[in-house]
Amino acid sequence: MTSEELIKETYRAFPQDFLWGGATAANQLEGAYDEDGKGLSVSDVYTFDNQLPKSEWTKQWLGMTHEQVNEAQKKDSTAFYPKRLGNDFYHHYQEDIKLFSEMDFKCFRMSIAWTRIFPNGDELEPNEAGLEFYDRVFDELLKYGIEPIVSLSHYEMPLYLVTEYGGWTNRKVVDFFVRFAKTVFERYQSKVKYWMTFNEINSVKHHPYVSVGVIEEGCEDLDQQRFQGAHHQFVASALATKYCHEIIPESQVGCMISYQLLLPNTCNPEDVQATVEAQRTSLFFSDVQARGYYPAYTARMFKEKGVVLKTEPGDAQILRENPVDYVSFSYYMSSTISAHPEQLTHAEGNLITGGISNPYLKSSEWGWQIDPISLRIALNQLYDRYQKPLFIAENGLGAIDELTTEKTVNDDYRIDYLQAHIQQMKEAIYDGVDLFGYTMWGCIDIVSASTSQMSKRYGFIYVDQNDDGSGSKQRYKKKSFDWYRDVIATNGDNL
């Protein structure tokens, strides 16, 4: 036996209780946007226009205008809002969870739609019909031994809190969120152990509307609004963590960031420094939630952006006393940074325009550069930084899938992508990283967050639904379905 084989035999990659599963978000999955008392969320405002060139589709996610928000609230609006339809999980959850069980999912990462529980967000009493829906979903998951991992906020804050309160820039929203959090902790304390507070909390950098409820149009102090909203989310997250631990003593609460590992375009020190500064704008969010305080470098960062945070007495203590238990993140690609980006070619990225095009990497159909090795680097970087358990909350490949006459999809390209990334997860665990779970994004086809289309598919399960919402909603297993089932059955040994 070689020394490398001996090491790998001694240090098996995935622990026996590793949480394999899939991930979704209520606003992209559930549909039934106006059933059982649900209110409109910020994501229910996004439209989709397939008459635009494909290269323009992502721009439907970028920016938000007052006219768009006003139009979305009209009962007679003729615009098409795909996220109001989702893939109709609301009426198919039993069938879908049964399919998850056939893959032997150990966990399912999902979110609770805030607007199902508090339709406007500021009510004093919750909507019982919304609570009962998630009771049924959790019971169905637990029936198959699938652990729910629940995000409290996944781009789903009530639209009313935006139009009437100004979103997270208003301190009152902290209290509304805490009421929501305590309500679901108390209701589901015997059913949910793993929680996450804010999905991709650092996306406020690029998407202030969907993240903190700030409408970009006409906003003259956008940076101030972004970071003030983020501060209020930090306080809300810490308070939610505190109450979760009190209500569910055995609970685990995590933060979640969108993470593109950033690579310097060259070894020019200017590029290296630009990369360090750019990476900090993501790490700052997990720094505050995992360490419990603002890192020193934020003083200069805020000063250069003209940001002066308004805090209340006790905020620092709340943050310090209630850090998260684990750090989770989404990873789809790396990105390349230059001190002079205007001189170079750009590549598309997750929800945003990515960094500089990296000639060493292949790209997906949407221009996302595929870099499995940087997932290993990211895992090591985050574990070295926080020394807390890590969880990969999202990872996957969006592609145009073709349903065959045999009612399957031969998605070898997806298998190749996932295989390469899971192999790098193994390497990170050999490196000593404490990684306890992995949920592949969009395990069943859902509406895309960035383009609002169905034809950008991620799942192991094909949903017969078109970009315009038409289709039978029938579910079909892709080739990757059986492949992932085998990965789980062998605990990652057989890729």
Side-chain angles (χ1 to χ4, degrees), residues 243-379:
Y243 290 121
C244 192
H245 288 155
E246 290 176 358
I247 296 167
I248 316 173
E250 71 278 13
S251 63
Q252 294 287 302
V253 184
C255 64
M256 198 282 207
I257 61 171
S258 169
Y259 204 54
Q260 291 181 26
L261 187 81
L262 301 185
L263 306 171
N265 187 54
T266 71
C267 55
N268 184 329
E270 290 184 0
D271 286 352
V272 176
Q273 181 59 33
T275 304
V276 169
E277 292 175 6
Q279 194 76 87
R280 278 176 167 175
T281 64
S282 286
L283 292 171
F284 142 66
F285 291 85
S286 46
D287 280 352
V288 175
Q289 292 181 286
R291 293 173 169 171
Y293 57 89
Y294 281 84
Y297 63 79
T298 57
R300 177 173 181 173
M301 183 177 77
F302 288 151
K303 183 176 181 180
E304 291 179 352
K305 292 179 180 294
V307 172
V308 179
L309 292 182
K310 298 175 183 177
T311 63
E312 291 191 1
D315 282 0
Q317 183 177 357
I318 290 169
L319 296 179
R320 190 174 293 276
E321 291 180 353
N322 302 287
V324 294
D325 301 304
Y326 65 93
V327 174
S328 66
F329 64 102
S330 60
Y331 177 85
Y332 296 95
M333 59 178 288
S334 62
S335 201
T336 309
I337 298 297
S338 169
H340 305 285
E342 70 283 354
Q343 302 173 6
L344 301 164
T345 303
H346 286 258
E348 288 300 311
N350 179 17
L351 309 183
I352 60 171
T353 299
I356 312 308
S357 181
N358 189 330
Y360 298 98
L361 302 176
K362 296 179 181 179
S363 298
S364 74
E365 294 176 72
W366 275 263
W368 297 18
Q369 297 205 281
I370 300 170
D371 184 3
I373 292 176
S374 283
L375 174 56
R376 174 186 179 183
I377 299 171
L379 285 163

Side-chain angles (χ1 to χ4, degrees), residues 42-47 60-61 64 80-83 209-210 452:
V42 288
S43 286
D44 289 328
V45 171
Y46 286 109
T47 59
Q60 296 176 101
W61 168 272
M64 181 55 63
F80 176 49
Y81 301 98
K83 288 171 186 168
Y209 164 73
V210 76
S452 291

Side-chain angles (χ1 to χ4, degrees), residues 21-23 109 256 329-333 368 371-372 375 392-398 414 417-422 425 438-443 458 460:
R109 180 191 170 227
M256 198 282 207
F329 64 102
S330 60
Y331 177 85
Y332 296 95
M333 59 178 288
W368 297 18
D371 184 3
L375 174 56
I392 299 174
E394 295 181 23
N395 171 244
L397 178 69
R414 181 168 292 110
Y417 175 97
L418 297 173
Q419 184 181 57
H421 284 77
I422 294 173
M425 288 159 51
Y438 170 83
T439 46
M440 178 268 197
W441 175 249
C443 50
Y458 285 83
F460 302 118

Side-chain angles (χ1 to χ4, degrees), residues 110-114 150-154 156 177 180-182 184-185 195-199 236 240-241 253:
M110 53 176 283
S111 63
I112 291 177
W114 188 349
V150 179
S151 299
L152 290 170
S153 181
H154 192 136
E156 290 152 354
F177 180 82
F180 161 58
K182 290 174 72 174
V184 297
F185 294 155
W195 299 85
M196 298 179 190
T197 52
F198 293 93
N199 175 76
T241 301
V253 184

